[in-house]
Amino acid sequence: MSKHGKVLVAMSGGIDSTVTALMLHEQGYEVVGITMKTWDYASAGSSKKETGCCNLDSFNDARAAAVHHGFPHFVLDIRDEFGDFVINNFVDEYIAGRTPNPCVLCNTHIKWRALMKRADAMDCDFIATGHYGQIRRHDNGRMVISKGIDETKDQSYVLWGIQQDVLARTILPLGKYRKTEIRQMAFDFGYPELAKKAESYEICFVPDNDYRGFLKRKVEGLEERVNGGNFVLADGTIVGKHKGYPFYTIGQRKGLDIALGRPVFVTEIIPETNTIVLGNEDELQKNEMFVSGLNMGKYETIPEGMEAITKIRYKDPGALSVLHNEDGKVKVNFFEHVKGIAPGQSAVFYEGDDVIGGGIIQRGPISLHQ
């Protein structure tokens, strides 16, 4: 019997998850490693390229680490669940004119659920991952995700959707360390190559970062169906033709293939009419948005009129805002304008370093003046 209990560790073969498993093993947990196959990397033409998750080499690296340190390792094939849910949602969101965040969806609906199911089957007390974040029980009894101490690596933003019962059984050992320390640990554990491994921020099923090509391959006839829509200005003036609304994102400036004599950005996507609205950089600035699909963290509900720091994308430093409850949604009013609010992305609310909760940014009313 271990002195801390039995823990199922998600091992991708990368540095963070490997160090997580070895650290917990060293601390006296009974570790079971599991690698989740989420996507058929070979068929995606990415067999020779590291991706945001793992390829066959990474599976082998994870297994080798487990065998070397004397704990069991399993491979779990969740391609069907992943594909049906995450990839279909990814496609549907772009077709709806929104910009999805598949890693959030995968973490909260697929990976954690798959881990919990296997943890129960193997009588594991806990699950653990290599995410940079911290979990604790608050005075009110609720489980709270907090930022990892390494601000450059903090991943609390992508974990907002994990529910309370799952958080209560989740361990995130890396949240108290900086990435430089984790690299040193990998070296000390005897993995010098792993210690030098580069970071990867790609979506696992879009290994070349070409989401437009991915959409074209997934949706038959999409390109022909949406090609030739209008580029317009905020007053409705048509200034050119575009390649189809799903192939653009809010804030995009490069790759528009239009010359107006000044820099212009995508400020709005209107899928109903296949219209892309262009504007100056200041037209990307907004001070209000609505968020739905909420999952609460630190508090059961958001106190009306609460001030919070709201992040609208992963690398966003966040902005001071006031939160209002409105018909099952949260209305967010920013004290200063924020740039590039993109429907479909996650909004996460913080009190200090603690995650209050999060949700999905909704489309606002069409602002086109015609």
Side-chain angles (χ1 to χ4, degrees):
M1 290 290 289
S2 72
K3 63 180 180 181
H4 293 305
K6 191 174 180 182
V7 58
L8 185 65
V9 182
M11 297 181 69
S12 68
I15 179 172
D16 295 328
S17 61
T18 301
V19 170
T20 293
L22 301 185
M23 187 190 299
L24 292 174
H25 180 65
E26 196 174 65
Q27 288 172 6
Y29 286 89
E30 182 184 349
V31 171
V32 179
I34 193 164
T35 300
M36 288 179 278
K37 186 175 177 67
T38 56
W39 177 247
D40 194 342
Y41 306 99
S43 71
S46 58
S47 57
K48 295 183 180 179
K49 184 176 172 64
E50 277 296 320
T51 68
C53 289
C54 45
N55 60 17
L56 192 56
D57 289 340
S58 294
F59 289 178
N60 293 333
D61 290 343
R63 184 180 293 280
V67 169
H68 181 69
H69 290 270
F71 57 85
H73 173 270
F74 301 91
V75 174
L76 177 61
D77 190 336
I78 58 170
R79 284 176 295 177
D80 289 344
E81 291 172 73
F82 181 91
D84 290 347
F85 196 81
V86 179
I87 294 173
N88 290 355
N89 175 270
F90 181 82
V91 172
D92 290 347
E93 285 292 279
Y94 274 112
I95 299 301
R98 296 186 288 264
T99 306
N101 197 326
C103 295
V104 169
L105 203 64
C106 180
N107 280 334
T108 56
H109 290 281
I110 300 297
K111 286 188 175 178
W112 253 261
R113 185 182 296 162
L115 281 171
M116 288 297 289
K117 187 177 175 183
R118 282 299 187 280
D120 289 339
M122 295 181 188
D123 294 323
C124 291
D125 305 289
F126 309 104
I127 60 175
T129 74
H131 287 87
Y132 287 79
Q134 302 185 70
I135 300 173
R136 74 175 197 283
R137 190 176 292 277
H138 189 49
D139 294 343
N140 62 11
R142 291 183 66 81
M143 302 306 298
V144 187
I145 296 177
S146 300
K147 292 180 181 178
I149 67 164
D150 190 339
E151 283 276 355
T152 64
K153 283 296 297 175
D154 169 54
Q155 290 170 295
S156 58
Y157 172 84
V158 298
L159 302 177
W160 65 263
I162 302 173
Q163 296 179 327
Q164 288 288 302
D165 61 327
V166 182
L167 281 179
R169 292 174 61 188
T170 299
I171 304 173
L172 303 178
L174 304 194
K176 293 179 169 59
Y177 297 93
R178 300 194 177 279
K179 182 70 179 204
T180 50
E181 295 175 288
I182 299 305
R183 289 194 184 280
Q184 184 61 49
M185 283 186 203
F187 187 86
D188 293 343
F189 276 125
Y191 299 93
E193 292 306 312
L194 197 59
K196 295 184 288 188
K197 205 170 190 178
E199 303 281 356
S200 175
Y201 298 103
E202 296 163 343
I203 298 168
C204 65
F205 55 88
V206 192
D208 54 4
N209 267 340
D210 179 18
Y211 85 87
R212 297 168 182 87
F214 181 82
L215 290 178
K216 291 171 188 175
R217 291 191 296 274
K218 289 293 289 184
V219 183
E220 191 175 345
L222 176 63
E223 200 168 5
E224 295 77 12
R225 199 163 79 232
V226 297
N227 190 38
N230 290 326
F231 276 131
V232 304
L233 303 180
D235 63 2
T237 303
I238 296 172
V239 291
K241 296 288 183 184
H242 61 70
K243 295 174 183 175
Y245 75 87
F247 307 134
Y248 299 87
T249 55
I250 298 293
Q252 182 179 338
R253 179 174 68 88
K254 295 180 179 177
L256 299 179
D257 296 328
I258 187 170
L260 298 180
R262 57 187 169 89
V264 289
F265 301 79
V266 174
T267 61
E268 198 166 349
I269 297 168
I270 308 174
E272 294 84 356
T273 56
N274 194 15
T275 302
I276 299 292
V277 184
L278 302 177
N280 301 324
E281 192 168 7
D282 61 0
E283 290 177 78
L284 283 171
Q285 306 279 354
K286 291 186 169 65
N287 62 5
E288 181 181 290
M289 67 179 182
F290 283 90
V291 178
S292 67
L294 300 167
N295 184 54
M296 295 304 301
K298 190 173 185 177
Y299 305 112
E300 193 170 342
T301 57
I302 291 175
E304 177 56 31
M306 181 181 191
E307 288 190 6
I309 297 294
T310 298
K311 291 181 65 165
I312 61 169
R313 62 181 69 87
Y314 177 46
K315 289 297 185 183
D316 177 24
L320 187 60
S321 61
V322 177
L323 309 180
H324 300 283
N325 297 294
E326 206 165 292
D327 299 326
K329 300 177 184 176
V330 171
K331 182 182 179 184
V332 183
N333 289 113
F334 293 99
F335 281 82
E336 295 181 359
H337 283 75
V338 296
K339 179 183 170 184
I341 295 174
Q345 289 284 289
S346 293
V348 183
F349 316 123
Y350 289 84
E351 183 176 50
D353 288 338
D354 296 342
V355 174
I356 301 166
I360 305 297
I361 300 170
Q362 300 301 293
R363 278 180 68 195
I366 296 172
S367 62
L368 199 58
H369 309 305
Q370 291 181 309

